Amino acid sequence: MLNELKKDAETRMQKAVVAMGNNFNKIRTGRAHPSILDGVMVSYYGVDTPLAQVANINVEDARTLSIKPWEKPMVPEIEKAIMKANLGLNPSTTGDNIRIPLPALTEETRKGYIKQARAEAENGRVSIRNIRRDVLSDVKVLLKDKDISEDEDRRTQDEVQKITDKYIAEVDKVLAQKEEELMTV
């Protein structure tokens, strides 16, 4: 029972780190990357559909994304969706190709993105701590019901804390990488 709780905690904490990484992908660095457009939803015959499911997204060069819709009538819809996503990007259309030049980041915008990254990292840490709290409360219930001894309770608490520390360190490592990436000119 205790091993299942620890494995569950580890799995959930890992998912929290992955979710934080996905949120980091939405924070723009100076380079073009298709994941910047992951959150863009396009109205495809009345249904909101992710952009990646209605067009090919390619990196043309270090500062330009190229979007090639699968259907020509989707070009204005994709442009509207990108503008509506409020990413600070201005698409330009040439025929049935959409190009998105990424503006260079100023020092001020870099600092703003770092603040955003730190907030995402803190949300990740909070999620991990909440998972720890949930598991420890389950362990307390087992102790109260006399299903485990006090020694097992103490040992499990220590092991769950070590797992928590490991994933908090992972969050800090990912945050440091993102900050370094953002500050690279």
Side-chain angles (χ1 to χ4, degrees), residues 3 6 32 41 43 52 70 86 100 108 138 148 175:
N3 285 336
K6 288 185 279 191
M41 301 298 269
S43 178
W70 295 328
N86 203 15
I100 303 174
E108 188 176 314
D138 292 345
I148 61 171
L175 174 63

Side-chain angles (χ1 to χ4, degrees), residues 13 33 40-41 43 48 52 56 64-65 76 80 82 84 94 97 100 113 120 129 147 165-166 175-176 182:
M13 287 179 188
H33 196 273
V40 177
M41 301 298 269
S43 178
D48 279 349
N56 284 331
T64 310
L65 286 174
K80 280 185 217 164
I82 292 170
K84 201 166 71 174
T94 53
N97 253 356
I100 303 174
Y113 285 143
E120 291 293 342
R129 290 186 201 117
D147 289 338
D165 292 343
K166 175 179 136 186
L175 174 63
L182 282 167

Side-chain angles (χ1 to χ4, degrees), residues 45-132:
Y45 296 106
V47 178
D48 279 349
T49 310
L51 176 60
Q53 292 182 13
V54 297
N56 284 331
I57 305 169
N58 296 311
V59 177
E60 221 171 75
D61 58 45
R63 292 204 182 279
T64 310
L65 286 174
S66 172
I67 301 172
K68 177 90 170 139
W70 295 328
E71 299 175 21
K72 189 157 176 87
M74 290 304 299
V75 172
E77 290 292 327
I78 291 172
E79 280 186 319
K80 280 185 217 164
I82 292 170
M83 296 299 274
K84 201 166 71 174
N86 203 15
L87 296 170
L89 303 174
N90 294 317
S92 64
T93 306
T94 53
D96 57 350
N97 253 356
I98 302 171
R99 284 197 172 79
I100 303 174
L102 295 170
L105 297 179
T106 64
E107 189 70 24
E108 188 176 314
T109 55
R110 287 177 196 275
K111 287 181 180 175
Y113 285 143
I114 286 176
K115 278 184 186 174
Q116 187 179 350
R118 287 180 180 159
E120 291 293 342
E122 186 55 35
N123 290 341
R125 288 188 203 102
V126 168
S127 297
I128 290 169
R129 290 186 201 117
N130 287 341
I131 294 165
R132 176 189 62 191

